[in-house]
Amino acid sequence: AQSVTQLGSHVSVSEGALVLLRCNYSSSVPPYLFWYVQYPNQGLQLLLKYTTGATLVKGINGFEAEFKKSETSFHLTKPSAHMSDAAEYFCAVSVSRAAGNKLTFGGGTRVLVKP
Amino acid sequence: EAGVTQFPSHSVIEKGQTVTLRCDPISGHDNLYWYRRVMGKEIKFLLHFVKESKQDESGMPNNRFLAERTGGTYSTLKVQPAELEDSGVYFCASSPAGANTIYFGEGSWLTVV
């Protein structure tokens, strides 16, 4: 079975500062890794994903994440926070290769951006 | 192209009543999933359809929950009778066959009072 741990349920950053959201996973097989974002009163939107290949993955809205197998991590970063980044972010892992993908989510990290 | 749509967006019902949530996946997507997030907890997998067949229903909490997918198109999730602990957000998602990305709807917010 796989699991995901997101360190910090709430993160507060100043506008223009670095955003760093931590995600560690456990999986017995090579994982697929995802970051989703939920803006207020909206659904889950895919930010980026890692499946195979390059370990540094770029996503939408200036976010990127790096898969580090040795550390079982997939931390999400953005160099400069914007007010519109205020949302809840979810890290997820999938290991199913057959009929579809079953996601296991972390607990989520709510980001507050201060002006 | 329309995304995953869910109805109702919000529902408030009394304990013991029945609620039916509907999900329309993206057209052509064989895979349909239900997830939910109860207050303060993680988003948890409920079940997975491939076309009209239940592929995996290991996350269904108990027999008060019944999911169907008529003709491999839309899906319904019925909760009968609803309990207070069923309150939360129910997400539907879909993906094409063989794809590794699933697309979520906006969720159905259920409050049981």
Side-chain angles (χ1 to χ4, degrees):
Chain A
Q2 55 275 3
S3 65
V4 178
T5 301
Q6 290 183 239
L7 190 62
S9 59
H10 291 78
V11 168
S12 181
V13 299
S14 297
E15 191 173 18
L18 171 72
V19 179
L20 170 60
L21 304 182
R22 300 180 185 275
C23 172
N24 288 87
Y25 69 91
S26 67
S27 174
S28 57
V29 298
Y32 290 166
L33 295 159
F34 304 81
W35 276 99
Y36 283 86
V37 59
Q38 185 178 22
Y39 298 104
N41 301 315
Q42 295 187 27
L44 293 170
Q45 181 180 358
L46 180 67
L47 267 181
L48 49 80
K49 65 180 180 181
Y50 168 80
T51 54
T52 59
T55 56
L56 182 62
V57 181
K58 295 185 185 299
I60 62 171
N61 301 337
F63 284 93
E64 63 181 37
E66 186 171 12
F67 169 57
K68 292 188 177 181
K69 184 178 178 180
S70 61
E71 299 178 8
T72 61
S73 69
F74 191 57
H75 302 331
L76 181 71
T77 60
K78 181 174 180 178
S80 176
H82 191 271
M83 296 299 292
S84 61
D85 295 325
E88 192 163 17
Y89 294 78
F90 298 91
C91 183
V93 63
S94 168
V95 296
S96 172
R97 301 293 186 266
N101 286 274
K102 175 179 172 180
L103 294 172
T104 298
F105 285 88
T109 299
R110 190 172 296 277
V111 173
L112 172 66
V113 182
K114 299 177 293 185
Chain B
E1 179 180 303
V4 178
T5 56
Q6 295 186 243
F7 182 84
S9 57
H10 292 80
S11 182
V12 180
I13 63 171
E14 293 184 351
K15 176 182 173 180
Q17 288 186 322
T18 297
V19 63
T20 300
L21 310 178
R22 173 172 169 142
C23 169
D24 286 80
I26 295 172
S27 178
H29 283 195
D30 287 345
N31 295 297
L32 187 148
Y33 307 82
W34 284 97
Y35 288 79
R36 78 169 179 176
R37 188 184 194 195
V38 297
M39 192 65 67
K41 300 288 184 65
E42 299 90 353
I43 300 170
K44 289 271 182 84
F45 167 84
L46 294 179
L47 87 159
H48 169 210
F49 285 98
V50 177
K51 297 183 180 178
E52 68 275 8
S53 300
K54 292 177 185 174
Q55 179 75 17
D56 181 351
E57 51 184 330
S58 61
M60 294 288 265
N62 52 61
N63 59 11
R64 295 185 295 105
F65 289 76
L66 175 64
E68 296 179 324
R69 189 177 184 192
T70 306
T73 56
Y74 71 92
S75 174
T76 58
L77 179 65
K78 180 190 288 188
V79 184
Q80 179 182 29
E83 298 289 346
L84 298 178
E85 63 264 26
D86 300 331
S87 296
V89 185
Y90 289 77
F91 291 104
C92 178
S94 71
S95 70
N100 54 38
T101 300
I102 67 175
Y103 301 89
F104 283 82
E106 295 197 348
S108 288
W109 299 72
L110 173 64
T111 302
V112 183
V113 297

